[in-house]
């Protein structure tokens, strides 16, 4: 591969003004007017900040909708197996009935997916840093679509296990890869809102697939296929089409203005996507986020250095708790609702499952933009929603009774609301900390490790809970009580980890300058030094 190096850029404009003021004072023999220079700098900062905000909004239109669609489809295919367990159960056409799966076998299959996710998250994300990011994201969606559609052909326990393993392998790196991809175009402190925006796809997916599954159940028997088989086939086909479209739509890694890379090898056969920015916009973005354009080569020593960074582990424990509860509710939500009201039909279960994720979506849209504006308080914005989850699980566990199941359902709505902002905030905080300290590979490796190791929480809730306790198999008001209490326990661990992380960041890193922490001081980094944006319409815009 050959490329032309970008020519060195000129100093920032405010540096030119400072030099000009000093030169004028030297010629006249007077002292430089520092107040006048500050006014000039402030005015030019405001103009440049307005330009960069317009550029970020332009990037939003190119990246966020594509990520939203990608994530919607992958989340739907990943979670459809949970719905298939109860679809058309009255006719004995559910996945459980067709394959004669026991609850333990179902949990094993679900857990195998997350084991592979954990094992392959880090390698997948590191490969993405070396290859074309938009091609890698396309590869993920194509793989998920193909493997997802194969679920329609399930015929035995062994191929159920096999497809769950394959799905975990092909989808690995998707979620941390998206977080890493954003840092190629935005400062990490601005990614929380964007992560939240496309993360709503998971909530819409959970709500919509619950509603749409009711429609698929009406297709049961059409063309000789069950309702769940139609569901897997159609979602898989749409994902394959989306994976092909992404090759043209998603921009590749940004290049410095004036730089061109000639495709070689297999890249010659890949469709070239249009650059994210051109002309003046590309120059302004280059000066604002210079660190992205001049990232250092990395090796395994850098990865081991990241593994030794103590900041990785509180973030992982935070993620462990909230993602474990989220996946537990996603996979077993319909079973929990049925336990509260055994009279509900499978269609009613699907319809009641959806509002949980509507509450989740609302919380994301409310909280994540505010957390970006007050990014020094990530621990607080994480911990309050986790407290809401704990309250909801307590209500679901202890409220109501056999004749009044609806208070327990309200508890699940509370859990959904509390879940929403926690995962985006955790990933954003990871990017903020590790880009400053370790650069591009820090974001790629840390986000993958937090996501991968944190998903051991998913293994816990899918394998050990809701089928592991004897009481979970006994019908009645106390069913799933112990599993709910275990989820409350791991959420308490998440709060403790967030509090510990916040305190350690304050007392260990609080007195260090960004340069001492390894940060590259481009315009975006300097802008962060001005402080938080708060609720006001400041120079930083949105």
């Amino acid at each position: 591969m050959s490329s032309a190096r970008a020519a060195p850029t000129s100093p920032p404009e405010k540096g030119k003004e400072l030099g000009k003021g000093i030169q004028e004072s030297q010629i006249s023999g007077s002292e430089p007017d520092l107040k006048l220079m500050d006014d000039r700098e402030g005015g030019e900062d405001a103009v440049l900040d307005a330009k960069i905000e317009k550029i970020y909004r332009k990037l939003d239109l190119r990246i966020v909708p594509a990520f939203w669609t990608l994530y919607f489809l992958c989340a739907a295919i990943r979670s459809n197996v949970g719905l298939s367990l109860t679809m058309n159960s009255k006719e004995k056409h559910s996945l459980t009935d067709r394959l004669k799966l026991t609850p333990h076998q179902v949990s094993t299959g679900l857990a195998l997916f997350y084991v592979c996710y954990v094992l392959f998250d880090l390698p997948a994300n590191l490969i993405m840093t070396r290859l074309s990011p938009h091609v890698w994201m396309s590869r993920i969606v194509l793989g998920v679509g193909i493997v997802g559609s194969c679920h329609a052909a399930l015929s035995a326990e062994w191929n159920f296990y096999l497809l769950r393993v394959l799905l975990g392998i092909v989808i690995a790196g998707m979620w941390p890869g998206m977080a890493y991809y954003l840092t190629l175009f935005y400062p990490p402190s601005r990614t929380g809102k964007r992560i939240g925006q496309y993360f709503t796809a998971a909530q819409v997916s959970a709500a919509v697939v619950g509603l749409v599954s009711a429609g698929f159940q009406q297709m049961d028997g059409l063309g000789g296929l069950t309702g769940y088989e139609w569901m897997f086939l159609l979602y898989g086909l749409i994902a394959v089409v989306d994976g092909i479209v992404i090759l043209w739509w998603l921009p590749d890694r940004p290049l410095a203005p004036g730089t061109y890379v000639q495709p070689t090898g297999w890249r010659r056969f890949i469709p070239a996507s249009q650059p994210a920015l051109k002309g003046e916009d590309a120059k302004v973005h280059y000066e604002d986020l210079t660190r992205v354009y001049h990232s250092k080569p990395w090796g395994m020593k850098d990865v081991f250095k990241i593994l030794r960074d103590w900041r990785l582990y509180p973030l992982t424990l935070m993620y462990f708790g909230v993602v474990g509860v989220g996946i537990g509710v996603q996979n077993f939500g319909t079973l929990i609702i049925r336990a509260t009201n055994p009279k509900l039909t499978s269609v009613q279960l699907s319809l009641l499952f959806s509002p949980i994720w509507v509450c989740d979506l609302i919380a994301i849209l409310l909280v994540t933009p505010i957390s970006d504006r007050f990014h020094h308080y990530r621990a607080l914005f994480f911990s309050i929603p986790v407290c809401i989850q704990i309250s909801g699980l307590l209500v679901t566990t202890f409220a109501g009774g056999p004749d009044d199941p609806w208070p327990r359902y309200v508890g699940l709505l509370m859990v959904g609301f509390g879940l929403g902002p926690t995962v985006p905030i955790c990933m954003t905080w990871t990017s903020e900390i590790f880009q400053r300290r370790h650069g591009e590979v820090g974001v790629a490796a840390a986000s993958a490790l937090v996501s991968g190791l944190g998903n051991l929480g998913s293994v816990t809730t899918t394998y050990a809970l809701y089928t592991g306790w004897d009481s979970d198999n006994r019908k009645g008001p106390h069913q799933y009580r112990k599993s709910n209490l275990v989820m409350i326990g791991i959420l308490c661990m998440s709060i403790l980890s967030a509090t510990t992380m916040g305190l350690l960041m304050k007392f260990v890193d609080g007195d260090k300058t960004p340069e001492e922490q390894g940060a590259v001081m481009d315009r975006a980094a300097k802008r962060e030094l001005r402080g938080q944006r708060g609720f006001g319409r400041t120079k930083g815009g949105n």
Side-chain angles (χ1 to χ4, degrees):
M1 180 185 300
S2 61
S3 63
R5 292 186 177 274
T9 55
S10 59
E13 291 298 320
K14 67 179 187 177
K16 290 181 178 178
E17 286 293 337
L18 180 60
K20 182 179 177 181
I22 294 174
Q23 286 176 349
E24 290 173 351
S25 68
Q26 289 173 340
I27 293 171
S28 64
S30 61
E31 291 296 321
D33 189 340
L34 297 179
K35 183 177 184 303
L36 177 60
M37 290 181 213
D38 288 342
D39 290 341
R40 285 176 180 174
E41 291 174 17
E44 289 179 357
D45 281 342
V47 172
L48 286 170
D49 287 349
K51 284 183 179 179
I52 198 64
E53 289 305 321
K54 288 182 181 179
I55 290 170
Y56 288 153
R57 286 192 291 271
K58 186 180 293 186
L59 289 170
D60 288 346
L61 295 175
R62 185 80 181 273
I63 296 171
V64 175
F67 270 15
W68 194 97
T69 306
L70 177 162
Y71 197 49
F72 174 90
L73 292 169
C74 290
I77 292 169
R78 180 184 65 190
S79 62
N80 276 343
V81 67
L83 291 169
S84 69
L85 298 175
T86 56
M87 289 175 65
N88 298 110
S89 55
K90 186 177 180 181
E91 295 82 9
K92 301 296 182 182
H93 287 174
S94 69
L95 182 66
T96 306
D97 294 318
R98 292 290 294 271
L99 271 61
K100 309 298 183 189
L101 296 173
T102 65
H104 183 73
Q105 289 170 334
V106 170
S107 294
T108 300
L110 296 177
L112 283 172
F113 167 85
Y114 291 106
V115 169
C116 293
Y117 197 93
V118 169
L119 292 176
F120 289 95
D121 238 4
L122 177 60
N125 232 33
L126 292 178
I127 292 171
M128 185 177 177
T129 67
R130 296 288 177 89
L131 299 180
S132 173
H134 83 296
V135 172
W136 194 248
M137 297 308 299
S138 173
R139 191 278 308 165
I140 289 174
V141 189
L142 284 169
V144 170
I146 292 169
V147 176
S149 62
C150 289
H151 280 64
L154 288 171
S155 59
E157 173 192 350
W158 71 267
N159 50 45
F160 172 63
Y161 291 158
L162 175 63
L163 286 183
R164 297 311 291 177
V165 167
L166 291 176
L167 188 62
I169 292 171
V170 297
I171 205 173
M174 179 196 66
W175 175 244
M178 295 164 82
Y180 159 72
Y181 183 95
L182 282 188
T183 61
L184 300 177
F185 296 93
Y186 306 92
S189 63
R190 301 293 186 94
T191 60
K193 183 179 77 170
R194 276 90 186 176
I195 292 175
Q197 286 172 341
Y198 66 70
F199 188 55
T200 60
Q203 284 62 50
V204 174
S205 172
V208 168
V209 297
L211 295 171
V212 174
S213 70
F216 281 121
Q217 289 179 76
Q218 302 304 314
M219 296 172 64
D220 187 56
L222 183 65
L225 299 176
T226 64
Y228 78 79
E229 287 171 338
W230 277 112
M231 178 176 67
F232 283 126
L233 277 175
L234 292 179
Y235 275 112
L237 176 62
I238 296 170
V240 168
V241 173
D242 182 63
I244 296 171
V245 171
I246 281 176
L247 283 174
W248 278 274
W249 183 259
L250 264 186
D252 205 350
R253 177 191 301 275
L255 297 175
T259 301
Y260 174 74
V261 176
Q262 180 66 39
T264 59
W266 60 268
R267 291 178 175 84
R268 293 177 297 168
F269 305 101
I270 301 297
S273 64
Q274 291 297 312
L277 300 168
K278 296 180 180 179
E280 183 65 23
D281 287 348
K283 294 178 182 178
V284 173
H285 187 266
Y286 174 83
E287 293 179 359
D288 196 67
L289 212 58
T290 309
R291 74 192 90 160
V292 169
Y293 294 86
H294 300 291
S295 59
K296 298 177 181 179
W298 60 268
M300 290 309 298
K301 287 184 178 180
D302 299 291
V303 176
F304 287 126
K305 186 177 179 182
I306 293 163
L307 286 168
R308 293 196 302 270
D309 194 324
W310 61 264
R311 298 158 189 81
L312 182 68
Y313 299 99
L315 290 164
T316 301
L317 292 175
M318 289 164 57
Y319 198 85
F320 179 98
V322 295
V323 80
V325 172
I327 296 300
V329 173
Q330 190 174 53
N331 285 335
F332 299 109
T334 53
L335 298 179
I336 297 171
I337 297 170
R338 173 168 279 173
T340 66
N341 190 350
K343 298 177 182 178
L344 295 171
T345 66
S346 58
V347 173
Q348 289 172 330
L349 283 173
S350 296
L351 295 175
L352 287 170
F353 186 65
S354 298
I356 298 172
W357 307 108
V358 173
C359 293
D360 197 308
L361 183 151
I362 291 169
I364 290 170
L365 296 178
L366 286 175
V367 177
T368 54
I370 301 174
S371 73
D372 272 1
R373 290 183 173 275
F374 295 91
H375 60 274
H376 293 170
Y377 301 100
R378 297 286 189 197
L380 183 63
F381 283 105
F382 176 88
S383 298
I384 291 175
V386 175
C387 289
I388 295 174
Q389 291 179 61
I390 292 172
S391 301
L393 283 169
L394 289 171
V395 171
T396 297
T397 305
F398 296 107
D403 299 324
D404 186 20
W406 296 111
R408 297 176 69 182
Y409 177 69
V410 171
L412 281 177
L413 297 181
M414 293 171 63
V415 173
F417 187 88
L419 277 170
T422 52
V423 170
I425 288 172
C426 191
M427 294 303 289
T428 303
W429 204 8
T430 301
S431 296
E432 279 183 308
I433 293 169
F434 281 85
Q435 191 189 66
R436 180 185 301 129
R437 296 184 59 81
H438 302 279
E440 182 179 310
V441 68
V443 177
S447 58
L449 287 164
V450 169
S451 171
L453 295 175
N455 262 294
L456 291 172
S458 303
V459 177
T460 301
T461 54
T462 55
Y463 191 72
L465 304 184
Y466 297 101
T467 53
W469 305 97
D470 289 339
S471 59
D472 286 346
N473 297 316
R474 297 190 200 122
K475 305 295 182 183
H478 299 304
Q479 189 175 16
Y480 303 132
R481 175 171 288 189
K482 289 183 178 179
S483 292
N484 290 345
L485 292 176
V486 171
M487 291 211 295
I488 290 172
I490 64 175
L491 287 174
C492 290
M493 178 189 68
S494 290
I495 292 177
L496 179 62
S497 299
T499 303
T500 303
M501 183 71 174
L503 291 173
L504 288 175
M505 289 292 293
K506 181 178 180 180
F507 292 109
V508 175
D509 291 337
D511 295 331
K512 295 180 181 178
T513 65
E515 290 94 334
E516 289 173 333
Q517 296 181 50
V520 176
M521 296 306 294
D522 49 23
R523 284 201 72 255
K526 292 175 182 176
R527 187 166 55 246
E528 296 298 330
L529 293 179
R530 302 181 203 164
Q532 302 180 115
R533 290 173 288 153
F535 287 115
R537 182 74 178 178
T538 62
K539 297 175 186 178
N542 70 346

